[in-house]
């Protein structure tokens, strides 16, 4: 009952003209960003953060705008998967497998609308899952002391490696690199400068927004320059959509699939380190094993379109659970959303639910509203978005680069930050070439200070005794899960991961 | 081979980071852990993972040809010049040049590149500055 009244309060907050307009804008921009290959949810949200700040938005409206972009990108990714066989963003990769064959059979419209419905079902159920699960997680999180938080952060980094990369050493490297970058600046507890090398600009530490925009958005520009990929992928191809409403029989056939994969995708999203990509991957694999009796998956089976779409949208909702309830994001995009919250001086975690209930419930209500908006945008108006695919990247990428510069300059007004951002862009390009995942780097720069503070607090409380870190059953449990999460993929998962990674060369570094 | 070089580079980075951590001046008022311990843990992880990368390298990534690398380097130089010129030349002029350059290098014809540059710059100026009120760099001409 409590939940429902909270939710009602949330709707009161979300149903203002400003917030509705922001949700609409976010959904629209998000769908575009998802649809365009080269702009995914994480860099899409990243380049819009400065926009939210310059508009002087408060915490709730900013979050509404940016999570609408996040949800929208999850919807939009499928459009180019189905029409062009090129995933618009990472999580939409599995949609290519059956979506493109359907389009080739002349059923592009059906595939698009069916996947739109599947996205809606996945996101809708996941938002309910968020409502039900997050408060429970908060109850557990309230038992956490500094030692447990330290273990939780370690868990996030260690399990993140298991899914985000094929190489545990590289993800450990990425995490350490991010944490190391976070230590630059004046030490918060003793006030001594660290790793600043006398550079005054570094005393404040590196702004993680600068790091995020550089690593995600600018490195993408460099990748495009490297391949001189200036055209539009849609050029010279005929895009025919046909009917834009799915036949009822098809919906009926896919309903059990959508329900199953929504649940599965949501659970995959809640796991730390897993994101929407994993959600769509395991959803598709499970459905294939479960219902593909005649071997039609991969040849344009509607269920093969519905499964990954419901799965990735549900996972997107699921990934918000640990971000809001524990302050530990599970994926690239939720890491970027965490950066937004931190910049607005709001610390996510259990206290968020008691101290800023308006933020949490307003956001949740906005997610419901955004979801209906997205359904409306993505079925009747899908033709509009397919036309956006015709914009060639030689025009798009300069705009992306310049908006990134404007945003960072708008926040800080300093040339130094722009130079740091360029540096991060080059670093991001190099790391992507070497197949080092970028998400742990971002997570490290975001969580580094909190992680160190919890470590030092825990040990100071216990008079310098380091064993305090594994002193409580809860901490031991967290460490055990962390170690299993790190070691297990090294032993078993090679094959499954190789399969999941085979199609994702450089794109894979920005997984969500 | 790339991974081996990368691993060695990572180990050097870890050593450098650890040395810099040892050089941190301790304050006389310190907590039980101090400002050095956490960076040293990070340095250890950085070093170990780099060693693992160097010892068990993965398949070689596809490095671009030298010309393409020069392309990226040139873009970086242009961006640095852009960042430095921003307060001097003003937002609209600097951005038009930088965007036009990027559009040109991504394969636009000269005329299209100039149009993209001016369009991007003016478009951003109108949306971000005139509509949203973000303060952009002012040049000698006032924009």
């Amino acid at each position: 009952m409590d939940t429902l009244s909270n939710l009602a309060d949330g709707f009161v907050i979300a149903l203002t003209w400003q917030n509705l307009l922001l949700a609409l804008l976010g959904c629209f921009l998000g769908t575009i960003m998802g649809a365009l290959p080269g702009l995914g949810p994480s860099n899409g949200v990243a380049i819009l953060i400065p926009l939210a700040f310059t508009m002087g938005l408060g915490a709730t409206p900013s979050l509404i705008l940016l999570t609408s972009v996040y949800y929208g990108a999850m919807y939009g990714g499928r459009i180019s998967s189905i029409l062009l066989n090129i995933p618009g963003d990472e999580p939409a990769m599995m949609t290519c497998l059956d979506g493109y064959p359907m389009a080739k059979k002349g059923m592009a419209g059906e595939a698009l609308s069916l996947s739109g419905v599947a996205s809606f079902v996945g996101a809708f159920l996941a938002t309910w899952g968020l409502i039900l699960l997050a408060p429970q997680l908060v109850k557990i999180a309230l038992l956490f002391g500094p030692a447990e938080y330290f273990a939780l952060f370690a868990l996030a980094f260690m399990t993140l490696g298991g899914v985000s990369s094929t190489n545990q050493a590289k993800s450990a490297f990425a995490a350490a690199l991010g944490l190391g970058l976070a230590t630059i600046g004046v030490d918060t507890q003793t006030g001594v400068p660290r790793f600043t090398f006398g550079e005054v600009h570094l005393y404040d530490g590196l702004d993680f927004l600068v790091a995020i925009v550089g690593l995600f958005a600018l490195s993408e520009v460099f990748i495009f320059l490297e391949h001189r990929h200036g055209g539009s992928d849609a050029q010279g191809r005929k895009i025919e959509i046909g009917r834009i409403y799915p036949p009822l029989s098809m919906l009926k056939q896919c309903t059990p699939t959508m329900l199953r994969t929504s649940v599965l995708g949501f659970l995959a999203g809640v796991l730390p380190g897993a994101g929407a990509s994993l959600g769509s991957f395991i959803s598709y694999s499970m459905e294939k094993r479960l219902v593909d009796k005649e071997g039609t998956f991969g040849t344009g089976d509607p269920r093969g379109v519905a499964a990954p779409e419901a799965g990735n949208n549900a996972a997107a909702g699921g990934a918000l659970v640990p971000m809001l309830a524990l302050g530990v994001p599970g994926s690239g995009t939720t890491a970027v959303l965490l950066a937004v919250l931190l910049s607005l001086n709001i610390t996510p975690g259990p206290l968020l639910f008691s101290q800023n209930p308006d933020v949490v419930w307003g956001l949740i209500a906005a997610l419901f509203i955004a979801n209906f908006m997205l359904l409306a945008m993505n079925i009747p108006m899908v033709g509009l978005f397919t036309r956006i695919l015709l914009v060639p990247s030689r025009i798009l990428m300069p705009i992306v680069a310049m908006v990134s510069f404007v945003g960072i300059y708008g926040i800080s007004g300093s040339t130094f930050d722009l130079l740091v951002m360029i540096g991060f862009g080059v670093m991001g390009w190099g790391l992507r070439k070497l197949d080092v995942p970028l998400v742990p780097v971002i997570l490290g720069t975001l969580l580094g200070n909190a992680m160190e503070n919890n470590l030092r607090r825990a040990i100071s409380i216990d008079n310098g005794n380091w064993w305090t870190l594994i002193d409580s059953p809860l901490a031991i449990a967290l460490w055990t899960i962390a170690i299993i999460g790190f070691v297990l993929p090294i032993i078993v998962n090679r094959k499954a991961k190789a399969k999941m990674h085979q199609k994702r060369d450089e794109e894979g570094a920005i997984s969500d | 081979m790339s991974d081996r070089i990368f691993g060695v580079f990572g180990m050097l980075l870890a050593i450098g980071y650890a040395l810099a951590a040892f050089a941190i001046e301790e304050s006389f008022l310190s907590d039980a852990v101090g400002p050095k311990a956490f960076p040293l843990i990070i340095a250890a992880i950085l070093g170990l993972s780099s060693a693992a990368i160097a010892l068990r390298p993965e398949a070689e990534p596809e490095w671009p040809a030298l010309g393409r690398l020069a392309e990226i380097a040139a873009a970086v130089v242009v961006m640095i010049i852009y960042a430095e010129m921003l307060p001097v030349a003003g937002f609209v002029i600097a951005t038009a040049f930088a965007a036009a350059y990027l559009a040109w290098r991504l394969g636009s014809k000269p005329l299209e590149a100039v149009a993209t540059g001016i369009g991007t710059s003016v478009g951003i100026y109108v949306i971000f500055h005139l509509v949203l009120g973000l303060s952009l760099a002012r040049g000698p001409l006032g924009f």
Side-chain angles (χ1 to χ4, degrees), chain A residues 162-499:
Chain A
V163 274
S164 70
S165 169
T166 41
N167 187 335
Q168 294 289 63
K170 285 186 175 171
S171 59
F173 175 88
L177 185 66
L179 289 169
L181 289 168
T183 56
I184 294 175
V186 171
D187 175 29
T188 46
Q189 315 231 339
T190 58
V192 294
R194 299 193 289 182
F195 311 107
T196 52
F197 306 106
E199 174 68 63
V200 187
H201 291 289
L202 288 176
Y203 275 51
D204 274 347
L206 293 169
D207 187 343
F208 39 70
L209 290 179
V210 175
I212 288 174
V213 177
L215 282 177
F216 283 166
L218 270 196
S219 73
E220 192 73 40
V221 176
F222 291 136
I223 295 272
F224 272 80
L225 271 171
E226 175 196 338
H227 297 296
R228 199 174 202 165
H229 186 78
S232 149
D233 291 312
Q235 236 152 28
R237 290 203 224 184
K238 225 169 56 189
I239 297 182
E240 262 180 35
I241 295 185
R243 57 178 295 172
I244 55 166
Y245 292 96
L248 267 182
S249 61
M250 193 188 272
L251 280 180
K252 212 183 248 167
Q253 184 198 10
C254 295
T255 305
T257 299
M258 286 193 256
L259 295 178
R260 274 195 300 267
T261 51
S262 297
V263 174
L264 192 66
F266 177 75
L267 293 177
V270 174
L271 294 177
S277 311
L278 183 80
S280 71
F281 176 74
I282 61 171
S283 294
Y284 186 85
S285 319
M286 183 195 77
E287 267 323 283
K288 191 176 156 100
R289 208 163 287 166
L290 218 62
V291 296
D292 186 21
K293 301 276 189 305
E294 294 97 34
T296 49
F297 268 49
T299 61
D301 191 312
R303 289 167 302 183
V305 176
E309 277 306 311
N312 78 29
N313 283 274
L320 288 173
V321 175
M323 196 275 273
L324 289 173
L326 302 175
V328 177
S331 68
T333 317
T334 44
V336 179
L337 289 172
L338 177 71
V340 179
L341 282 175
L342 292 178
S343 318
L344 290 164
N345 259 335
I346 290 178
T347 316
L351 293 179
L352 179 68
F353 282 73
S354 51
Q355 288 175 352
N356 302 80
D358 52 321
V359 174
V360 178
W361 294 101
L363 171 67
I364 290 173
L367 288 179
F368 277 116
I369 297 168
N371 212 5
F372 280 99
M373 287 176 175
L374 282 165
L375 185 67
M377 265 184 211
N378 274 279
I379 293 188
M381 285 165 61
V382 75
L384 176 71
F385 292 107
T386 57
R387 239 161 260 140
I388 286 165
L389 290 179
L390 292 167
V391 176
S393 49
R394 62 174 182 271
I395 293 176
L396 181 72
M397 289 330 270
I399 298 177
V400 170
M402 291 301 127
V403 171
S404 312
F405 276 102
V406 170
I408 294 303
Y409 193 81
I411 292 177
S412 68
S414 104
T415 301
F416 181 79
D417 276 356
L418 294 184
L419 297 176
V420 173
M421 180 177 82
I422 298 170
F424 272 108
V426 175
M427 188 171 98
W429 177 79
L431 292 178
R432 284 166 84 168
K433 291 308 274 186
L434 290 162
D435 206 20
V436 176
L438 296 181
V439 176
V441 183
I442 292 296
L443 216 54
T445 48
L446 276 175
L447 299 180
N449 286 327
M451 191 170 177
E452 183 179 7
N453 288 343
N454 277 304
L455 171 74
R456 288 165 74 167
R457 209 171 294 151
I459 293 169
S460 298
I461 291 171
D462 216 7
N463 293 323
N465 176 15
W466 284 73
W467 292 108
T468 185
L469 293 178
I470 44 170
D471 209 24
S472 76
L474 205 54
I476 295 173
L478 287 169
W479 279 109
T480 315
I481 299 171
I483 291 168
I484 293 173
F486 188 75
V487 176
L488 202 63
I490 302 181
I491 306 167
V492 270
N493 223 352
R494 292 245 167 227
K495 224 170 124 193
K497 270 199 304 189
K499 227 164 142 190

Side-chain angles (χ1 to χ4, degrees), chain A residues 54 170 183 194 226 394, chain B residues 17 31 35 58 68 112 134:
Chain A
T54 51
K170 285 186 175 171
T183 56
R194 299 193 289 182
E226 175 196 338
R394 62 174 182 271
Chain B
Y17 183 75
D31 55 334
E58 288 183 307
R68 297 281 94 201
E112 188 189 86
L134 174 66

Side-chain angles (χ1 to χ4, degrees), chain A residues 3-188:
Chain A
T3 315
L4 286 182
S5 70
N6 280 334
L7 189 60
D9 290 342
F11 271 101
V12 174
I13 295 165
L15 285 171
T16 62
W17 283 110
Q18 187 203 24
N19 288 345
L20 285 177
L21 230 84
L22 286 172
L24 192 68
L25 180 72
C27 292
F28 182 74
L29 290 174
T31 311
I32 292 177
M33 287 175 172
L36 288 167
L39 266 179
S42 35
N43 42 21
V45 175
I47 64 171
L48 284 183
I49 293 175
L51 180 75
F53 286 155
T54 51
M55 285 163 78
L57 298 176
T60 315
S62 313
L63 265 193
I64 289 176
L65 173 70
L66 295 169
T67 39
S68 302
V69 173
Y70 177 36
Y71 267 38
M74 291 293 151
Y75 273 78
R78 75 195 205 285
I79 298 176
S80 64
S81 296
I82 290 171
L83 293 176
L84 307 172
N85 202 18
I86 301 163
D89 52 15
E90 243 255 320
M93 211 171 63
M94 304 309 288
T95 315
C96 291
L97 298 180
D98 275 283
Y100 186 60
M102 263 183 94
K104 272 206 297 203
K105 281 196 276 185
M107 289 158 62
E110 280 97 330
L112 282 172
S113 52
L114 173 70
S115 55
V117 173
S119 299
F120 175 79
V121 173
F124 185 77
L125 292 177
T127 313
W128 274 111
L130 170 65
I131 292 175
L132 297 175
L133 189 61
Q136 306 310 315
L137 211 54
V138 164
K139 280 182 199 150
I140 301 175
L142 285 173
L143 302 173
F144 282 21
E148 283 80 13
Y149 264 110
F150 182 71
L152 180 70
F153 288 135
L155 183 148
F157 284 112
M158 288 165 88
T159 50
L160 187 64
V163 274
S164 70
S165 169
T166 41
N167 187 335
Q168 294 289 63
K170 285 186 175 171
S171 59
F173 175 88
L177 185 66
L179 289 169
L181 289 168
T183 56
I184 294 175
V186 171
D187 175 29
T188 46

